[in-house]
Amino acid sequence: MNNQVLNTLTLLLLLTKSVLSFSQELKPSNLFGDNMVLQQGVAVPVWGLSSPNDSITVTFSNQNKSTLADSNGKWMLKLEPLQANKTAGEMIIKSKSSEIKIKNILVGEVWICSGQSNMQMNVDNVPDVKAITPLSENIRSFDVKRTVSFEEEDEVTGKWQLGNSSSAVASAFSYYLEQLGDIPVGIIHASWGSSSIEAWMPRDMENDFMYFKNIMYDFDKDMMTRNTIKKSLNAPNGWSQKEDVFMRRQPNIIYNAMMHPLIPFACRGLVWYQGERNTRYISGVPTVNETNWFHRVIGMQEYSDVLQQWILNYRKKWQNDTMHFAIVMLPGYGKGTVKKPDIDPENPTEESFAWMRASQLKALNLPNTSVVNTIDLGDVDNIHPKDKLPIGERLALLVAKNTLNKPIIAEGPMLKSVEVSENKLIIHFKNSNGLKTTDGETPKGFWIADSTKKWKMADAKIEGETVILSHNDVNTPLYVRYAFAGKPNVNLVNEENLPAYPFKTR
């Protein structure tokens, strides 16, 4: 065989391999599967892989949409807005040579539920939530596998299932939302204990925050950390608990593996129950060493700016300016920061969770946001309280009001204004119809101060829809803090027994 013939055969072999390498079976994203829920009222992207330039057709709910795969075999099309439907439907996806049927599909409200350990807490550990899960109808859930990646992934690991998510908060939320909306609910649950907001931040947020850019710069050049993570991911028998903790406390790489692949799945919004990891310092990014390396995250006071920019970033990625974000306020807890872990849990001057709650409430500066008030919940000694049922119920109330336009009361009293009257402060509230206390006693949790900023626990009384504050040692009160403490003792609610939101004026 001469060289010319040999070269020709070699070239043909290479071309054949090239063609074969681009030959892909028709496959939608893993987010599309039996038992799923599709979002009502918006255009619904459907996407996946096939052979390059293949013709793809998707049929669902009397719609027939077609597109062509690109040169890499990627394809995407959008269904027109769908109406809510409790009657299961079937989606047919066709290429030139293949057909896939996805069965038992409902149309309703789809929510992503994300965060750290209090979102992850399993429904089996919360008896009152577990008790209601068998009562749920038309609820479907997709639990995203916990993993990390150095690059933004296109695919996620998980499977739609009938019934509630493994998350207690997500389960309670979906149960009450289904009841309030009389509509199917789909939950995509993506959470991981002890993860910071930085773990869920996309790489392009380096452009917004220099501290994050510095963190990622150091992470990129830390080959020991990167090799440790690679070794864990490739371990034939899975990673250990120690390795698990190590991975989930790194920046960005959870977003890459667990959130980015969800884009642009049509959903109403995202429930965010996270913040505990960012409470170890009141401000700034700490200097770290081998023993506290996992504390290199933003502090409580700056968290508000990061959270708001994070919300805007996600909306941009989903190409949905009205994507709703429901933030779960951190509940009561009696420990402080690294600087001073042992605190008076009712004192408004301590470095406590109060500062994180104030940052979380600033998310309300953005439209299409809600903050679930949990100030009456929690455990002074346990950062993982089990009172998740009321969180789910309050989430559903806010979401039903703000996204389904239900005419309901969904929030407790919120500060409207402070009036100075001689030696008293008069506190005016929004959402204050039927202002009362849960135990029939005078309101608790109010502190006042004059120009000296020496805080005193106020004598408080309800007058109509206001609270009057005074103290014998404060002749000219100027400032007030309400429930601004790690684990305050509170009892102020409105007619729907929803608790008053914490606040401070100084």
Side-chain angles (χ1 to χ4, degrees):
M1 184 180 295
N2 62 42
N3 289 337
Q4 184 176 359
V5 173
L6 181 60
N7 289 338
T8 300
L9 289 174
T10 301
L11 180 60
L12 287 172
L13 180 61
L14 289 172
L15 288 172
T16 302
K17 286 183 176 181
S18 177
V19 170
L20 290 173
S21 69
F22 277 87
S23 178
Q24 301 177 100
E25 290 292 327
L26 175 66
K27 181 185 180 301
S29 163
N30 282 348
L31 288 166
F32 298 90
D34 294 348
N35 308 314
M36 69 177 172
V37 178
L38 296 178
Q39 176 63 44
Q40 67 162 338
V42 299
V44 176
V46 183
W47 70 92
L49 295 173
S50 187
S51 295
N53 307 312
D54 208 353
S55 177
I56 308 297
T57 300
V58 175
T59 303
F60 180 74
S61 186
N62 298 318
Q63 295 189 43
N64 201 49
K65 298 288 184 177
S66 297
T67 190
L68 291 176
D70 66 16
S71 59
N72 295 312
K74 293 183 178 182
W75 57 268
M76 178 184 289
L77 54 75
K78 291 184 179 180
L79 299 174
E80 300 295 329
L82 303 165
Q83 290 187 340
N85 197 339
K86 296 179 183 178
T87 302
E90 181 178 83
M91 179 182 289
I92 299 175
I93 304 175
K94 288 183 179 180
S95 67
K96 294 176 183 177
S97 57
S98 301
E99 178 178 299
I100 293 174
K101 291 183 179 180
I102 302 176
K103 302 176 182 178
N104 199 23
I105 302 170
L106 302 181
V107 180
E109 290 295 292
V110 179
W111 281 84
I112 299 168
C113 291
S114 189
Q116 57 180 112
S117 53
N118 275 303
M119 179 60 83
Q120 183 181 339
M121 182 180 282
N122 196 285
V123 67
D124 290 338
N125 297 322
V126 186
D128 54 355
V129 176
K130 187 176 182 180
I132 66 171
T133 54
L135 305 176
S136 300
E137 297 180 4
N138 300 316
I139 292 177
R140 313 286 176 81
S141 57
F142 186 106
D143 285 332
V144 175
K145 179 184 177 181
R146 296 180 184 95
T147 188
V148 298
S149 174
F150 295 113
E151 304 294 335
E152 293 180 346
E153 296 294 336
D154 292 329
E155 193 59 277
V156 69
T157 301
K159 183 179 180 181
W160 284 97
Q161 63 181 19
L162 300 175
N164 296 82
S165 164
S166 63
S167 160
V169 167
S171 292
F173 166 58
S174 58
Y175 169 80
Y176 286 110
L177 184 59
E178 181 202 18
Q179 301 297 311
L180 288 166
D182 188 26
I183 198 169
V185 177
I187 297 293
I188 300 175
H189 170 220
S191 69
W192 206 342
S194 76
S195 56
S196 64
I197 193 171
E198 289 79 7
W200 299 91
M201 286 167 63
R203 189 67 183 246
D204 59 14
M205 286 190 72
E206 290 181 338
N207 300 324
D208 302 309
F209 298 101
M210 181 58 69
Y211 92 93
F212 186 58
K213 186 173 185 178
N214 292 337
I215 287 173
M216 293 310 302
Y217 174 80
D218 290 342
F219 180 73
D220 287 343
K221 68 179 184 179
D222 184 355
M223 296 311 299
M224 182 177 295
T225 289
R226 297 176 74 87
N227 289 334
T228 298
I229 294 170
K230 289 177 183 178
K231 182 179 178 181
S232 300
L233 290 173
N234 295 324
N237 298 317
W239 53 76
S240 67
Q241 178 64 18
K242 182 178 180 180
E243 291 170 321
D244 187 281
V245 172
F246 186 75
M247 288 192 294
R248 59 178 133 129
R249 290 184 172 180
Q250 304 296 338
N252 171 249
I253 57 177
I254 293 181
Y255 167 84
N256 289 343
M258 296 179 62
M259 189 63 72
H260 186 266
L262 305 183
I263 302 168
F265 195 83
C267 62
R268 181 67 68 189
L270 187 150
V271 177
W272 182 242
Y273 192 168
Q274 191 280 330
E276 299 92 335
R277 174 77 192 290
N278 293 81
T279 62
R280 303 308 294 137
Y281 294 85
I282 194 165
S283 180
V285 180
T287 301
V288 298
N289 54 38
E290 289 184 1
T291 60
N292 75 335
W293 58 268
F294 50 88
H295 284 160
R296 197 179 183 197
V297 299
I298 202 66
M300 290 187 279
Q301 289 184 315
E302 295 86 1
Y303 185 91
S304 62
D305 291 337
V306 178
L307 177 62
Q308 290 175 68
Q309 192 60 41
W310 179 83
I311 290 171
L312 294 173
N313 185 288
Y314 273 40
R315 286 177 177 168
K316 185 176 181 180
K317 284 183 166 48
W318 257 271
Q319 298 182 25
N320 181 2
D321 291 339
T322 63
M323 184 177 179
H324 198 93
F325 282 75
I327 311 301
V328 179
M329 180 191 294
L330 295 194
Y333 181 56
K335 297 296 182 181
T337 62
V338 168
K339 177 182 176 182
K340 186 185 177 186
D342 295 322
I343 61 171
D344 177 351
E346 296 187 35
N347 191 299
T349 66
E350 300 278 18
E351 292 188 0
S352 68
F353 271 19
W355 297 93
M356 174 56 78
R357 297 183 197 114
S359 282
Q360 292 177 311
L361 280 165
K362 288 180 181 178
L364 296 176
N365 293 338
L366 299 177
N368 302 305
T369 56
S370 305
V371 177
V372 179
N373 190 3
T374 63
I375 198 61
D376 58 329
L377 306 176
D379 188 314
V380 69
D381 296 317
N382 188 352
I383 202 170
H384 300 119
K386 292 189 176 182
D387 45 6
K388 300 293 193 275
L389 188 68
I391 293 177
E393 184 175 15
R394 293 172 191 177
L395 268 169
L397 285 170
L398 283 166
V399 163
K401 176 185 177 181
N402 294 325
T403 70
L404 299 179
N405 300 314
K406 297 293 181 180
I408 56 177
I409 297 173
E411 296 141 317
M414 301 182 77
L415 177 66
K416 183 178 180 180
S417 63
V418 178
E419 179 184 350
V420 179
S421 178
E422 296 179 348
N423 62 342
K424 298 177 181 179
L425 296 179
I426 303 174
I427 313 301
H428 298 266
F429 296 94
K430 298 179 289 184
N431 315 315
S432 57
N433 287 341
L435 196 65
K436 61 183 179 178
T437 58
T438 55
D439 53 11
E441 299 191 6
T442 57
K444 301 179 176 71
F446 286 94
W447 294 66
I448 58 175
D450 56 19
S451 59
T452 66
K453 303 183 188 68
K454 294 180 179 179
W455 293 93
K456 301 291 184 179
M457 188 180 294
D459 297 318
K461 62 178 181 179
I462 295 173
E463 286 191 3
E465 295 182 7
T466 67
V467 173
I468 312 299
L469 305 176
S470 63
H471 191 280
N472 289 337
D473 295 335
V474 184
N475 293 325
T476 311
L478 297 174
Y479 312 118
V480 55
R481 291 183 176 183
Y482 170 69
F484 196 82
K487 183 68 173 73
N489 182 13
V490 294
N491 60 355
L492 187 65
V493 297
N494 61 10
E495 62 183 345
E496 295 297 320
N497 294 312
L498 293 169
Y501 281 76
F503 65 85
K504 70 181 182 74
T505 63
R506 180 74 180 191

